[in-house]
């Protein structure tokens, strides 16, 4: 009787696929922006320390707008 030692020849690691979750679950809203609006958003984003991405800047501007008292 011959015994064969069967080992795994390749190690398997499990990785999650796709983009990492950064903002959690929520409703995605698609919008069209005019060039002048995007320019103002980008200026706001680059003026922050550290500079923020456009989506983060839009979220921050919405937060600030919702805090304004009438």
């Amino acid at each position: 009787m011959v015994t064969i030692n069967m080992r795994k020849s390749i190690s398997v690691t499990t990785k999650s696929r796709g983009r990492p979750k950064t903002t959690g679950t929520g409703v995605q809203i698609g919008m069209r922006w005019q060039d002048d609006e995007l320019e103002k958003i980008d200026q706001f984003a680059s003026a922050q320390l550290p500079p923020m991405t456009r989506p983060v800047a839009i979220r921050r501007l919405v937060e600030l707008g919702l805090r304004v008292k009438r």
Side-chain angles (χ1 to χ4, degrees):
M1 175 186 236
V2 177
T3 59
I4 300 174
N5 189 358
M6 302 285 284
R7 290 190 199 171
K8 288 185 177 181
S9 60
I10 300 173
S11 64
V12 178
T13 59
T14 58
K15 292 184 180 181
S16 61
R17 293 184 170 209
R19 297 180 71 174
K21 292 183 180 181
T22 56
T23 58
T25 60
V27 177
Q28 182 178 3
I29 299 174
M31 299 180 66
R32 294 186 189 272
W33 295 87
Q34 301 302 316
D35 290 337
D36 59 331
E37 296 168 327
L38 287 175
E39 186 177 330
K40 291 175 185 176
I41 292 168
D42 291 341
Q43 288 173 356
F44 172 82
S46 63
Q48 306 307 304
L49 293 175
M52 51 181 69
T53 63
R54 185 183 285 170
V56 173
I58 291 170
R59 284 188 207 99
R60 180 70 178 129
L61 288 166
V62 169
E63 287 175 14
L64 292 171
L66 291 173
R67 289 184 189 171
V68 173
K69 294 182 181 179
R70 294 184 180 194

